[in-house]
Amino acid sequence: SDVCSSDLDAAIEVVVGQGRLLTTRRPIAKEDGVALIAVGDPTILEFEVLPNPQMIRIMGRRAGVTDLTIVTSDKETFAFEVHVGYDLDLLQAQLRQLFPDASLKLAQIRDHVVVEGQARSATQVVAIESSIRAYLESVQGNVGANTAGAAGGATRSEEHTSELQSHSFISYAVFCLKK
């Protein structure tokens, strides 16, 4: 039978740079059988067929959403929507350690990271943005990110909006400076 985008079997979440094992109830390919495994965007997700015919290892390569389709040797089709995201809990914990007096909230929208909160100074805003940028570059393998409109400079209003850019993400940071 045909599989439409609305006929997804499940949504799966994977962290960038980390893997997950998918285990099927039955073998994907029987002895001398041929199965098909396809990923919509291989720049987001890669897979490895393991020696166990019921297991596939998937690995998040970069943030985004893609599909994973498995057609077994028995012609059964399984379709998954795979969301590859950043480990925002880890990043939040790192930022809390580095900047205990800042109040920050992180969110992800597709491959974008959004940070909002309060910082004690414009200098701290720059340091927070730099830390976030370093994390994103480390998990994406992007070295030498370009920054446009980065937080910095001597003149600054109470509210500051900054845009971070690199090869694979654009993040927005909105800060209120504490008095």
Side-chain angles (χ1 to χ4, degrees):
S1 70
D2 291 335
V3 175
C4 303
S5 61
S6 62
D7 292 337
L8 293 173
D9 291 294
I12 302 169
E13 291 189 15
V14 180
V15 174
V16 173
Q18 295 183 14
R20 269 187 89 166
L21 287 178
L22 293 181
T23 305
T24 58
R25 289 187 197 110
R26 293 182 299 281
I28 296 165
K30 293 184 177 173
E31 196 171 318
D32 297 327
V34 176
L36 171 74
I37 302 172
V39 171
D41 186 344
T43 66
I44 294 175
L45 185 76
E46 64 183 36
F47 68 89
E48 176 185 3
V49 179
L50 300 176
N52 180 334
Q54 290 178 251
M55 297 178 91
I56 299 170
R57 182 174 187 269
I58 58 175
M59 176 111 166
R61 297 187 70 195
R62 70 175 180 88
V65 178
T66 190
D67 61 278
L68 172 71
T69 304
I70 301 169
V71 181
T72 68
S73 58
D74 291 336
K75 305 298 180 220
E76 253 187 300
T77 301
F78 300 97
F80 304 95
E81 182 174 87
V82 183
H83 297 256
V84 179
Y86 302 110
D87 190 345
L88 295 182
D89 292 335
L90 173 66
L91 179 57
Q92 184 81 44
Q94 289 173 341
L95 292 171
R96 240 188 324 272
Q97 269 189 331
L98 293 169
F99 310 101
D101 57 338
S103 172
L104 304 172
K105 292 180 188 172
L106 300 175
Q108 182 172 337
I109 302 170
R110 294 192 78 77
D111 60 346
H112 304 277
V113 172
V114 177
V115 59
E116 65 176 313
Q118 293 182 337
R120 72 172 186 270
S121 68
T123 304
Q124 189 179 51
V125 170
V126 172
I128 290 167
E129 290 177 332
S130 178
S131 298
I132 293 169
R133 198 174 314 110
Y135 166 79
L136 295 173
E137 289 174 2
S138 73
V139 297
Q140 295 283 33
N142 294 333
V143 180
N146 298 322
T147 302
T155 59
R156 198 168 286 277
S157 63
E158 285 298 306
E159 290 193 20
H160 170 73
T161 302
S162 173
E163 178 182 40
L164 306 173
Q165 292 186 359
S166 89
H167 178 67
S168 61
F169 65 89
I170 300 174
S171 302
Y172 293 92
V174 178
F175 288 92
C176 293
L177 301 180
K178 294 180 181 179
K179 292 188 179 195

